[in-house]
Amino acid sequence: MPITYTIGAVHDKLALVRAIAQGYQITLAEDGCAEVTSPEGNVYFIYNFECDCPDKLLRGGLHEGRCKHEIWISQMTPCPLCDNVMYIGEFHSSFGEVLQRFECRTCGHTLAAETILHTRETKQNMNQVA
Ligand SMILES: [Zn+2]
Ligand SMILES: [Zn+2]
C-alpha cells in the first residue's frame, strides 16, 4: 500500500498508536479481518482489508482508496506462535538501515514487514482468482 504514515507517531491519524490513544478498540480475528469500535461506540467490520464504514462505502476511502480503519489493521497481524497480536515497528539494523518488522510483545517473536506484505499479496491474488 503506497500510503505513508509514521509508525508510532501519536499525532499521525493513520498510525495505529493514535487510534489506541484515542480509545478505539480493535479486535483482530485474523490478518486483515477485525472489528473496530470507535470511542463513540460505532462498530465497523473489516474483512480482508475491506471495511464497512461510511468513509469506505460512501466516499471510497479518504486515503488512496483506504479508510483509516483498514490502514490501522494493516499495522497489526496475529502472532503465529501465540494468540496475541504483533504490531509493526521500526528498528535500526547494524548497517544503519531503518527496517520495519512486526513484533509480538508477549512472546517476543518478530517477522520482517516484507514477509507479512508478501503473504498479504499472495492472499489477495488468490482471492482474485477465486
Ligand atoms: Zn473504515
Ligand atoms: Zn507471540
Side-chain angles (χ1 to χ4, degrees):
M1 270 180 263
I3 295 161
T4 51
Y5 55 85
T6 307
I7 292 170
V10 176
H11 63 267
D12 188 337
K13 69 176 177 179
L14 297 181
L16 180 62
V17 286
R18 161 127 172 175
I20 292 168
Q22 285 184 320
Y24 281 87
Q25 304 279 333
I26 302 176
T27 308
L28 195 66
E30 58 181 279
D31 191 53
C33 301
E35 183 181 315
V36 177
T37 306
S38 77
E40 298 80 33
N42 296 318
V43 182
Y44 305 117
F45 294 97
I46 299 144
Y47 179 74
N48 201 14
F49 297 104
E50 294 294 334
C51 185
D52 68 355
C53 73
D55 172 33
K56 178 74 181 199
L57 294 184
L58 303 180
R59 294 184 284 276
L62 290 174
H63 311 284
E64 315 223 5
R66 291 286 172 193
C67 68
K68 61 186 178 184
H69 313 111
E70 293 170 351
I71 297 169
W72 291 340
I73 67 155
S74 74
Q75 296 165 62
M76 55 205 293
T77 193
C79 177
L81 299 188
C82 68
D83 284 337
N84 285 286
V85 178
M86 303 176 85
Y87 296 96
I88 200 165
E90 289 181 334
F91 76 105
H92 295 264
S93 77
S94 49
F95 302 104
E97 296 168 292
V98 179
L99 301 174
Q100 294 182 356
R101 67 180 178 189
F102 286 81
E103 298 174 338
C104 177
R105 288 170 197 168
T106 307
C107 75
H109 186 55
T110 61
L111 281 170
E114 281 173 22
T115 306
I116 300 287
L117 296 179
H118 181 73
T119 305
R120 286 175 181 169
E121 279 173 14
T122 306
K123 204 174 149 191
Q124 296 284 350
N125 292 338
M126 280 165 53
N127 287 339
Q128 280 163 17
V129 171

